[in-house]
Amino acid sequence: MKTKHHPSARLFGDILFPTVLLLLLCFLLILQQQGYQSPGADLPENLLIDEDHWNELKNVHAADRSETILLVTTDDEEAQMVCDQFAFVSEVMQMTPVVRALQIPEDTQEDTAEDAGNPDTPEPPVLPADITQFDTNARILVICESDLLSLPIDVDALSAWVASGGRLLVAGGLDSPYLTPVWEDLLGLNHQDEYAQIPIMSMRMQSALLAGGQGMEFSDEVIHCQMSQVLVRPEVQVHITTADDIAAPLLWELPYGNGTVIVSGADLMDSKANRGIICACLGRMNSVTVWPVINAAVYCIDDFPSAAPAGFDRNVHVQFGYTVSDFYFNVWWPSIREIGHRYGIPYSCFLIQCYDADTSGPFDNDHHLESAAYFAKLILEDGGEIGIHGYNHQPLVLSGYVFDEKNGGYTPWPSNSHMVESLRSLHAYAARLSPEISLQAYVAPSNVLDANGLELLVEHFENLRVFAGVYIGTPDQMIQEYEAWDNGVVLVPRLTADMQMEDSEWWTQLNAMNFHFVESNYIHPDDILDEERNDGGDFSSMLEGYEHMVAWNQAHHLRPLTISQAAGAVQRYCNLQVSRSEDADGLTLRLNGRIDTGYLLLRVRDADRLPVCRSGGQLTKIDEGLWLLEADADLVRIEWGE
């Protein structure tokens, strides 16, 4: 039996449907205009390659090295540190580092500086006569020593070599009280009878040498050293100065005949945090340089889902009138989640079951199951990932492990079996939160994990293959590079932390983007409760700082991925090798070990040259002189456009 509808009801339905449709379209248009992206939109569901498949795909061919770099160092500790960083960076850029250690003659070590300005002082012995004869294949020479006058180098021969087309990088800083006229000419300096030593406690990026860095300023958190005060000539391009009214030059570049000279007057190339600077300077040694990169921005939340602290916090109560638990539910998570929605980022969260310090068991605390399940559901809905932080917050180390002072106060585990038992409890707990959780990634409490703990995790939990330690840290922490191991384990270290990053973290991030094209940032639900992380406790400022970091990454085209997706990107980066041939019209790249899409950075010294990808991929401009190449074929052709 059919129901009869009143004419007015039919008219109302006829009007209602198009009205609702119109409102829906308006809503979608507003979201589009506001930059909303569906969380995890257009992201590969799973990039991580399992052990068996990885060993089938793994590239076993030797890289075709495009350039030989001659690294000149001494037994000076700081010079060795500079040399080590250059050797690492040049390997990643698929160049060949050749290290040559010079022995400074003992009879010149003490007298060189004070006698260098005296014309009656005989020249020290020069060994060898021409340093470039160390390796005739090298067209890039890096001097890692800071006291240039102590080196047994024929400077006239070196100058002639650069003028004929060689590229010289003075990387160890300048701390000589005198320089000879030949050195001054080669380094682009005006003559001074004496070079005063000045403290360097700030810097300003004057150019786009580091993509995304122009105009950035950094404090003594990043640079704190002594250097010779210099006066550079007009033809010199200054890339970095002090961030004060003096604007003393710290790093500069000049053409010298047919060659190029880059000079770091300050200590800018002696640590892991400075690898982007090293990479950029090596990139400018050639007209164009190409190397494989990761292309991933990972946004991690430690201790989440977790138990929310009970009671009140003064900052939280004054700003919001909430308990800490209610703040988590009503302010913190909605705010963080909204940023994820706006920028299309999937969060990588690391589950902790409880905060008990007990390491003896039983491991059965599930008091916060309901709230953890609520958060887990939303994380997964947004395309995020849930990994392991621990049953509790005790690092997986046995009695006798030596903690750094900063990471003290933890309870060691009585045995390996207790560690395994606690993590089995966590796996069962995660399954109760959601059957969709696949625990593939692990972040250690306070990033503390030794070889025994890592071996234990790999042996007993076959799906657990992604391990996040720290890129830079204390000796007791798991300090890592971005690596893919034969057994399927992938290392994706933390680069930065906190919602409002400090100068040192911004510097690390800027360098990592210009080297590996990667970011990995960690925050915590309780950041506002921690005086070291909350920067005064104003949550709106903390949120603003966090969004600024995310927006900066997005503006420079870093691809937002979960940590397991990023691990897959690391595998592809580790597998990829590139060789190149250049001609008058452009260059041809041949890729070896490309699994699917390969990512590379292309640095072009002449900013007026426009690279155009004719076949095999596409180019995206990151900043002046730096391009991201997305390669989808083994043969890529790039030519110079208008």
mmCIF file of all heavy atoms in Angstrom, residues 81-118:
data_model
loop_
_atom_site.group_PDB
_atom_site.id
_atom_site.type_symbol
_atom_site.label_atom_id
_atom_site.label_comp_id
_atom_site.label_asym_id
_atom_site.label_seq_id
_atom_site.Cartn_x
_atom_site.Cartn_y
_atom_site.Cartn_z
ATOM 1 N N MET A 81 87.509 16.140 13.268
ATOM 2 C CA MET A 81 86.047 16.200 13.323
ATOM 3 C C MET A 81 85.484 16.754 12.023
ATOM 4 O O MET A 81 84.495 16.240 11.479
ATOM 5 C CB MET A 81 85.608 17.059 14.515
ATOM 6 C CG MET A 81 85.893 16.424 15.873
ATOM 7 S SD MET A 81 85.691 17.591 17.253
ATOM 8 C CE MET A 81 83.962 18.017 17.092
ATOM 9 N N VAL A 82 86.100 17.814 11.503
ATOM 10 C CA VAL A 82 85.664 18.382 10.220
ATOM 11 C C VAL A 82 85.829 17.348 9.114
ATOM 12 O O VAL A 82 84.927 17.131 8.290
ATOM 13 C CB VAL A 82 86.468 19.657 9.892
ATOM 14 C CG1 VAL A 82 86.144 20.149 8.482
ATOM 15 C CG2 VAL A 82 86.186 20.748 10.913
ATOM 16 N N CYS A 83 86.967 16.682 9.094
ATOM 17 C CA CYS A 83 87.248 15.668 8.071
ATOM 18 C C CYS A 83 86.215 14.541 8.112
ATOM 19 O O CYS A 83 85.717 14.104 7.074
ATOM 20 C CB CYS A 83 88.655 15.115 8.275
ATOM 21 S SG CYS A 83 89.167 13.913 7.036
ATOM 22 N N ASP A 84 85.879 14.070 9.305
ATOM 23 C CA ASP A 84 84.912 12.976 9.450
ATOM 24 C C ASP A 84 83.543 13.361 8.896
ATOM 25 O O ASP A 84 82.874 12.551 8.230
ATOM 26 C CB ASP A 84 84.779 12.579 10.918
ATOM 27 C CG ASP A 84 86.023 11.895 11.460
ATOM 28 O OD1 ASP A 84 86.870 11.477 10.655
ATOM 29 O OD2 ASP A 84 86.153 11.810 12.702
ATOM 30 N N GLN A 85 83.099 14.588 9.165
ATOM 31 C CA GLN A 85 81.794 15.019 8.670
ATOM 32 C C GLN A 85 81.800 15.148 7.145
ATOM 33 O O GLN A 85 80.836 14.764 6.484
ATOM 34 C CB GLN A 85 81.380 16.336 9.328
ATOM 35 C CG GLN A 85 81.126 16.245 10.826
ATOM 36 C CD GLN A 85 80.115 15.176 11.196
ATOM 37 O OE1 GLN A 85 79.156 14.918 10.477
ATOM 38 N NE2 GLN A 85 80.339 14.533 12.338
ATOM 39 N N PHE A 86 82.865 15.672 6.587
ATOM 40 C CA PHE A 86 82.953 15.775 5.128
ATOM 41 C C PHE A 86 82.979 14.402 4.478
ATOM 42 O O PHE A 86 82.364 14.193 3.421
ATOM 43 C CB PHE A 86 84.188 16.583 4.723
ATOM 44 C CG PHE A 86 83.914 18.034 4.515
ATOM 45 C CD1 PHE A 86 84.041 18.925 5.563
ATOM 46 C CD2 PHE A 86 83.506 18.512 3.278
ATOM 47 C CE1 PHE A 86 83.774 20.272 5.385
ATOM 48 C CE2 PHE A 86 83.240 19.854 3.090
ATOM 49 C CZ PHE A 86 83.373 20.741 4.134
ATOM 50 N N ALA A 87 83.694 13.470 5.084
ATOM 51 C CA ALA A 87 83.747 12.115 4.532
ATOM 52 C C ALA A 87 82.357 11.497 4.504
ATOM 53 O O ALA A 87 81.954 10.868 3.515
ATOM 54 C CB ALA A 87 84.710 11.250 5.348
ATOM 55 N N PHE A 88 81.572 11.667 5.591
ATOM 56 C CA PHE A 88 80.227 11.098 5.649
ATOM 57 C C PHE A 88 79.321 11.743 4.598
ATOM 58 O O PHE A 88 78.628 11.046 3.849
ATOM 59 C CB PHE A 88 79.630 11.287 7.046
ATOM 60 C CG PHE A 88 78.288 10.625 7.211
ATOM 61 C CD1 PHE A 88 78.202 9.330 7.677
ATOM 62 C CD2 PHE A 88 77.111 11.294 6.887
ATOM 63 C CE1 PHE A 88 76.965 8.704 7.818
ATOM 64 C CE2 PHE A 88 75.880 10.689 7.019
ATOM 65 C CZ PHE A 88 75.802 9.388 7.491
ATOM 66 N N VAL A 89 79.324 13.069 4.545
ATOM 67 C CA VAL A 89 78.422 13.769 3.623
ATOM 68 C C VAL A 89 78.763 13.442 2.178
ATOM 69 O O VAL A 89 77.869 13.195 1.351
ATOM 70 C CB VAL A 89 78.470 15.288 3.867
ATOM 71 C CG1 VAL A 89 77.694 16.040 2.789
ATOM 72 C CG2 VAL A 89 77.916 15.624 5.245
ATOM 73 N N SER A 90 80.039 13.405 1.846
ATOM 74 C CA SER A 90 80.416 13.125 0.463
ATOM 75 C C SER A 90 80.042 11.704 0.058
ATOM 76 O O SER A 90 79.660 11.456 -1.095
ATOM 77 C CB SER A 90 81.912 13.371 0.252
ATOM 78 O OG SER A 90 82.693 12.585 1.124
ATOM 79 N N GLU A 91 80.089 10.745 0.989
ATOM 80 C CA GLU A 91 79.639 9.384 0.695
ATOM 81 C C GLU A 91 78.146 9.364 0.370
ATOM 82 O O GLU A 91 77.709 8.709 -0.579
ATOM 83 C CB GLU A 91 79.936 8.459 1.877
ATOM 84 C CG GLU A 91 81.398 8.093 2.050
ATOM 85 C CD GLU A 91 81.840 6.981 1.120
ATOM 86 O OE1 GLU A 91 81.025 6.527 0.297
ATOM 87 O OE2 GLU A 91 83.009 6.581 1.218
ATOM 88 N N VAL A 92 77.345 10.071 1.175
ATOM 89 C CA VAL A 92 75.907 10.128 0.932
ATOM 90 C C VAL A 92 75.617 10.795 -0.413
ATOM 91 O O VAL A 92 74.701 10.386 -1.142
ATOM 92 C CB VAL A 92 75.194 10.878 2.074
ATOM 93 C CG1 VAL A 92 73.745 11.184 1.718
ATOM 94 C CG2 VAL A 92 75.255 10.052 3.361
ATOM 95 N N MET A 93 76.410 11.807 -0.765
ATOM 96 C CA MET A 93 76.235 12.495 -2.047
ATOM 97 C C MET A 93 76.852 11.714 -3.196
ATOM 98 O O MET A 93 76.870 12.174 -4.333
ATOM 99 C CB MET A 93 76.841 13.891 -1.967
ATOM 100 C CG MET A 93 76.163 14.806 -0.956
ATOM 101 S SD MET A 93 76.915 16.432 -0.845
ATOM 102 C CE MET A 93 76.282 17.185 -2.359
ATOM 103 N N GLN A 94 77.332 10.502 -2.882
ATOM 104 C CA GLN A 94 77.892 9.570 -3.849
ATOM 105 C C GLN A 94 79.095 10.167 -4.574
ATOM 106 O O GLN A 94 79.258 10.043 -5.784
ATOM 107 C CB GLN A 94 76.796 9.074 -4.804
ATOM 108 C CG GLN A 94 75.700 8.355 -4.036
ATOM 109 C CD GLN A 94 74.647 7.670 -4.879
ATOM 110 O OE1 GLN A 94 74.653 7.761 -6.095
ATOM 111 N NE2 GLN A 94 73.735 6.979 -4.220
ATOM 112 N N MET A 95 79.933 10.843 -3.780
ATOM 113 C CA MET A 95 81.244 11.283 -4.201
ATOM 114 C C MET A 95 82.288 10.399 -3.511
ATOM 115 O O MET A 95 81.963 9.649 -2.587
ATOM 116 C CB MET A 95 81.458 12.747 -3.832
ATOM 117 C CG MET A 95 80.448 13.695 -4.453
ATOM 118 S SD MET A 95 80.653 15.390 -3.829
ATOM 119 C CE MET A 95 79.504 16.290 -4.881
ATOM 120 N N THR A 96 83.525 10.494 -3.921
ATOM 121 C CA THR A 96 84.582 9.667 -3.349
ATOM 122 C C THR A 96 85.493 10.512 -2.468
ATOM 123 O O THR A 96 86.263 11.330 -2.983
ATOM 124 C CB THR A 96 85.419 9.008 -4.457
ATOM 125 O OG1 THR A 96 84.563 8.223 -5.288
ATOM 126 C CG2 THR A 96 86.499 8.105 -3.857
ATOM 127 N N PRO A 97 85.411 10.349 -1.148
ATOM 128 C CA PRO A 97 86.328 11.094 -0.279
ATOM 129 C C PRO A 97 87.683 10.398 -0.179
ATOM 130 O O PRO A 97 87.759 9.200 0.080
ATOM 131 C CB PRO A 97 85.604 11.092 1.068
ATOM 132 C CG PRO A 97 84.797 9.830 1.053
ATOM 133 C CD PRO A 97 84.437 9.551 -0.383
ATOM 134 N N VAL A 98 88.742 11.142 -0.395
ATOM 135 C CA VAL A 98 90.097 10.625 -0.240
ATOM 136 C C VAL A 98 90.778 11.469 0.828
ATOM 137 O O VAL A 98 90.947 12.681 0.662
ATOM 138 C CB VAL A 98 90.882 10.700 -1.567
ATOM 139 C CG1 VAL A 98 92.322 10.230 -1.361
ATOM 140 C CG2 VAL A 98 90.191 9.869 -2.640
ATOM 141 N N VAL A 99 91.143 10.843 1.936
ATOM 142 C CA VAL A 99 91.715 11.567 3.068
ATOM 143 C C VAL A 99 93.236 11.515 2.984
ATOM 144 O O VAL A 99 93.829 10.442 2.813
ATOM 145 C CB VAL A 99 91.243 10.965 4.410
ATOM 146 C CG1 VAL A 99 91.866 11.710 5.583
ATOM 147 C CG2 VAL A 99 89.717 11.007 4.491
ATOM 148 N N ARG A 100 93.848 12.689 3.117
ATOM 149 C CA ARG A 100 95.302 12.781 3.165
ATOM 150 C C ARG A 100 95.692 13.542 4.432
ATOM 151 O O ARG A 100 95.347 14.718 4.581
ATOM 152 C CB ARG A 100 95.849 13.500 1.921
ATOM 153 C CG ARG A 100 95.675 12.714 0.634
ATOM 154 C CD ARG A 100 96.565 11.473 0.630
ATOM 155 N NE ARG A 100 96.452 10.726 -0.624
ATOM 156 C CZ ARG A 100 95.736 9.622 -0.757
ATOM 157 N NH1 ARG A 100 95.038 9.165 0.274
ATOM 158 N NH2 ARG A 100 95.697 8.983 -1.902
ATOM 159 N N ALA A 101 96.379 12.866 5.337
ATOM 160 C CA ALA A 101 96.791 13.477 6.601
ATOM 161 C C ALA A 101 98.185 14.071 6.453
ATOM 162 O O ALA A 101 99.107 13.392 5.991
ATOM 163 C CB ALA A 101 96.767 12.444 7.717
ATOM 164 N N LEU A 102 98.328 15.329 6.823
ATOM 165 C CA LEU A 102 99.615 16.010 6.761
ATOM 166 C C LEU A 102 100.256 16.032 8.140
ATOM 167 O O LEU A 102 99.577 16.286 9.135
ATOM 168 C CB LEU A 102 99.441 17.447 6.267
ATOM 169 C CG LEU A 102 98.965 17.630 4.822
ATOM 170 C CD1 LEU A 102 98.886 19.109 4.511
ATOM 171 C CD2 LEU A 102 99.884 16.926 3.854
ATOM 172 N N GLN A 103 101.526 15.800 8.167
ATOM 173 C CA GLN A 103 102.285 15.912 9.409
ATOM 174 C C GLN A 103 102.929 17.290 9.444
ATOM 175 O O GLN A 103 103.726 17.635 8.586
ATOM 176 C CB GLN A 103 103.366 14.834 9.474
ATOM 177 C CG GLN A 103 104.177 14.855 10.750
ATOM 178 C CD GLN A 103 103.323 14.518 11.973
ATOM 179 O OE1 GLN A 103 102.523 13.599 11.946
ATOM 180 N NE2 GLN A 103 103.473 15.299 13.023
ATOM 181 N N ILE A 104 102.529 18.092 10.407
ATOM 182 C CA ILE A 104 103.103 19.430 10.536
ATOM 183 C C ILE A 104 104.516 19.307 11.099
ATOM 184 O O ILE A 104 104.702 18.703 12.163
ATOM 185 C CB ILE A 104 102.238 20.313 11.452
ATOM 186 C CG1 ILE A 104 100.831 20.459 10.868
ATOM 187 C CG2 ILE A 104 102.885 21.674 11.659
ATOM 188 C CD1 ILE A 104 99.874 21.209 11.748
ATOM 189 N N PRO A 105 105.541 19.844 10.417
ATOM 190 C CA PRO A 105 106.905 19.763 10.935
ATOM 191 C C PRO A 105 107.001 20.362 12.329
ATOM 192 O O PRO A 105 106.492 21.452 12.589
ATOM 193 C CB PRO A 105 107.715 20.588 9.921
ATOM 194 C CG PRO A 105 106.894 20.565 8.676
ATOM 195 C CD PRO A 105 105.471 20.533 9.120
ATOM 196 N N GLU A 106 107.626 19.622 13.238
ATOM 197 C CA GLU A 106 107.679 20.053 14.635
ATOM 198 C C GLU A 106 108.364 21.396 14.807
ATOM 199 O O GLU A 106 107.987 22.197 15.654
ATOM 200 C CB GLU A 106 108.399 18.994 15.472
ATOM 201 C CG GLU A 106 107.621 17.685 15.591
ATOM 202 C CD GLU A 106 108.342 16.692 16.471
ATOM 203 O OE1 GLU A 106 109.374 17.061 17.056
ATOM 204 O OE2 GLU A 106 107.862 15.546 16.576
ATOM 205 N N ASP A 107 109.384 21.686 13.992
ATOM 206 C CA ASP A 107 110.118 22.933 14.186
ATOM 207 C C ASP A 107 109.373 24.146 13.679
ATOM 208 O O ASP A 107 109.819 25.269 13.841
ATOM 209 C CB ASP A 107 111.491 22.859 13.507
ATOM 210 C CG ASP A 107 111.361 22.587 12.012
ATOM 211 O OD1 ASP A 107 110.258 22.204 11.589
ATOM 212 O OD2 ASP A 107 112.367 22.753 11.298
ATOM 213 N N THR A 108 108.194 23.939 13.061
ATOM 214 C CA THR A 108 107.409 25.090 12.589
ATOM 215 C C THR A 108 106.130 25.266 13.383
ATOM 216 O O THR A 108 105.479 26.301 13.267
ATOM 217 C CB THR A 108 107.038 24.926 11.105
ATOM 218 O OG1 THR A 108 106.183 23.792 10.970
ATOM 219 C CG2 THR A 108 108.271 24.747 10.253
ATOM 220 N N GLN A 109 105.742 24.291 14.187
ATOM 221 C CA GLN A 109 104.448 24.367 14.871
ATOM 222 C C GLN A 109 104.359 25.555 15.809
ATOM 223 O O GLN A 109 103.339 26.234 15.867
ATOM 224 C CB GLN A 109 104.193 23.074 15.647
ATOM 225 C CG GLN A 109 103.902 21.891 14.732
ATOM 226 C CD GLN A 109 103.580 20.645 15.521
ATOM 227 O OE1 GLN A 109 103.297 20.728 16.706
ATOM 228 N NE2 GLN A 109 103.610 19.499 14.884
ATOM 229 N N GLU A 110 105.415 25.858 16.565
ATOM 230 C CA GLU A 110 105.345 26.928 17.556
ATOM 231 C C GLU A 110 105.721 28.278 16.972
ATOM 232 O O GLU A 110 105.250 29.319 17.408
ATOM 233 C CB GLU A 110 106.270 26.606 18.730
ATOM 234 C CG GLU A 110 105.862 25.349 19.499
ATOM 235 C CD GLU A 110 106.797 25.076 20.652
ATOM 236 O OE1 GLU A 110 107.763 25.861 20.839
ATOM 237 O OE2 GLU A 110 106.573 24.082 21.372
ATOM 238 N N ASP A 111 106.597 28.281 15.935
ATOM 239 C CA ASP A 111 107.153 29.543 15.463
ATOM 240 C C ASP A 111 106.399 30.133 14.289
ATOM 241 O O ASP A 111 106.540 31.304 13.987
ATOM 242 C CB ASP A 111 108.616 29.341 15.039
ATOM 243 C CG ASP A 111 109.466 28.838 16.201
ATOM 244 O OD1 ASP A 111 109.113 29.164 17.346
ATOM 245 O OD2 ASP A 111 110.455 28.131 15.944
ATOM 246 N N THR A 112 105.577 29.338 13.611
ATOM 247 C CA THR A 112 104.970 29.794 12.367
ATOM 248 C C THR A 112 104.143 31.047 12.564
ATOM 249 O O THR A 112 104.279 32.024 11.835
ATOM 250 C CB THR A 112 104.079 28.679 11.777
ATOM 251 O OG1 THR A 112 104.900 27.554 11.518
ATOM 252 C CG2 THR A 112 103.434 29.148 10.492
ATOM 253 N N ALA A 113 103.251 31.038 13.567
ATOM 254 C CA ALA A 113 102.323 32.154 13.734
ATOM 255 C C ALA A 113 103.056 33.452 14.027
ATOM 256 O O ALA A 113 102.784 34.488 13.419
ATOM 257 C CB ALA A 113 101.327 31.844 14.852
ATOM 258 N N GLU A 114 104.017 33.436 14.954
ATOM 259 C CA GLU A 114 104.655 34.685 15.356
ATOM 260 C C GLU A 114 105.647 35.189 14.315
ATOM 261 O O GLU A 114 105.961 36.370 14.251
ATOM 262 C CB GLU A 114 105.354 34.496 16.700
ATOM 263 C CG GLU A 114 106.472 33.471 16.670
ATOM 264 C CD GLU A 114 107.063 33.242 18.058
ATOM 265 O OE1 GLU A 114 106.256 33.042 18.999
ATOM 266 O OE2 GLU A 114 108.287 33.281 18.183
ATOM 267 N N ASP A 115 106.163 34.289 13.440
ATOM 268 C CA ASP A 115 107.157 34.701 12.467
ATOM 269 C C ASP A 115 106.578 34.957 11.087
ATOM 270 O O ASP A 115 107.277 35.458 10.207
ATOM 271 C CB ASP A 115 108.233 33.617 12.334
ATOM 272 C CG ASP A 115 109.069 33.484 13.600
ATOM 273 O OD1 ASP A 115 109.080 34.447 14.382
ATOM 274 O OD2 ASP A 115 109.691 32.423 13.788
ATOM 275 N N ALA A 116 105.281 34.636 10.889
ATOM 276 C CA ALA A 116 104.728 34.694 9.540
ATOM 277 C C ALA A 116 104.760 36.091 8.971
ATOM 278 O O ALA A 116 104.896 36.278 7.765
ATOM 279 C CB ALA A 116 103.297 34.155 9.539
ATOM 280 N N GLY A 117 104.633 37.099 9.794
ATOM 281 C CA GLY A 117 104.622 38.463 9.295
ATOM 282 C C GLY A 117 105.998 39.069 9.172
ATOM 283 O O GLY A 117 106.145 40.214 8.740
ATOM 284 N N ASN A 118 107.023 38.343 9.523
ATOM 285 C CA ASN A 118 108.394 38.854 9.481
ATOM 286 C C ASN A 118 109.045 38.437 8.167
ATOM 287 O O ASN A 118 109.262 37.247 7.918
ATOM 288 C CB ASN A 118 109.181 38.288 10.663
ATOM 289 C CG ASN A 118 110.591 38.867 10.744
ATOM 290 O OD1 ASN A 118 111.054 39.547 9.818
ATOM 291 N ND2 ASN A 118 111.262 38.582 11.850
#
